[in-house]
Amino acid sequence: MTLSNFISRLNWRLIVTHFIACWLFIYSFEQFSYLHDIEFWTTILTHSRSWLENPRNWNFGAGRLSLNLLWLGLSGFVGFLIAFAISLTITIKKDWFWVNSLIVFLVGCVLGLSDSLGWRYLKTIFLAPGRLFNSNTILYVIANGIVMLTLGLLLFFLNGMQRFVRPKIIPGTIEEISTE
């Protein structure tokens, strides 16, 4: 495969759409990870100032804090791996160039490791659905997680999105001959 043929098979619409879907999966899984120890997270969210000033007044030790932070970090990565698997499955099933999904994975890894995914700027938008349930932490977390997961799944599976990302047929290629 020549370089020009390789570049012509890259689909920037697919890469951007699947990257956004992966991003939504990462943060929806992080939201769901709060359910692992909802008592801990409810205390942290509602009493964060007093907990930080005097953590000994609370019965949360360093081990529990570490375990919850581990769950939080791993859940985002698991969400990313599941989204990548969905992206790769779709591209292979639709006979699109699988390198597009690999690019999504690599870009996600690089931006994730450098903490440049933009969550700190976009979280106010994506955590808005849960504000309807501000008094109930469980519903807050579930609402936010479901909304982001649903958006990610729609980006992957909605027929309109798949038509949007479908690669254009290049004249003289095998794809053009097979569609005639």
Side-chain angles (χ1 to χ4, degrees):
M1 176 183 298
T2 65
L3 181 61
S4 62
N5 189 19
F6 176 82
I7 292 173
S8 69
R9 294 186 67 191
L10 294 178
N11 184 339
W12 298 108
R13 289 179 178 184
L14 178 119
I15 292 169
V16 169
T17 305
H18 282 205
F19 177 77
I20 294 170
C22 286
W23 186 91
L24 288 164
F25 265 67
I26 290 168
Y27 292 107
S28 71
F29 274 60
E30 281 189 7
Q31 286 296 302
F32 290 133
S33 76
Y34 291 125
L35 297 173
H36 168 70
D37 189 355
I38 197 69
E39 176 196 359
F40 174 83
W41 290 111
T42 301
T43 302
I44 296 297
L45 292 173
T46 56
H47 304 292
S48 60
R49 176 65 96 198
S50 62
W51 186 82
L52 287 172
E53 289 172 357
N54 196 357
R56 292 179 190 209
N57 288 346
W58 303 92
N59 61 352
F60 304 137
R64 190 168 179 186
L65 175 64
S66 299
L67 181 65
N68 283 305
L69 292 176
L70 180 69
W71 267 90
L72 186 64
L74 286 178
S75 64
F77 186 67
V78 167
F80 181 55
L81 288 179
I82 290 171
F84 169 66
I86 292 170
S87 173
L88 190 60
T89 302
I90 290 171
T91 36
I92 290 172
K93 183 179 176 190
K94 299 280 186 187
D95 288 326
W96 297 338
F97 195 33
W98 60 270
V99 172
N100 293 308
S101 291
L102 184 62
I103 291 172
V104 169
F105 180 77
L106 294 175
V107 168
C109 285
V110 169
L111 291 177
L113 289 173
S114 64
D115 198 24
S116 302
L117 287 172
W119 178 246
R120 117 183 42 142
Y121 306 110
L122 296 171
K123 70 180 175 183
T124 55
I125 296 167
F126 288 100
L127 296 180
R131 288 194 191 110
L132 295 171
F133 311 104
N134 246 357
S135 60
N136 188 335
T137 308
I138 294 173
L139 292 177
Y140 175 83
V141 167
I142 290 173
N144 290 330
I146 286 176
V147 167
M148 287 188 280
L149 187 63
T150 302
L151 290 173
L153 289 170
L154 287 174
L155 285 174
F156 277 134
F157 295 111
L158 199 63
N159 282 335
M161 290 308 296
Q162 290 190 6
R163 280 194 300 272
F164 172 73
V165 301
R166 184 178 299 131
K168 294 189 175 27
I169 298 174
I170 301 167
T173 61
I174 295 173
E175 292 89 1
E176 181 190 35
I177 295 167
S178 64
T179 58
E180 292 177 349

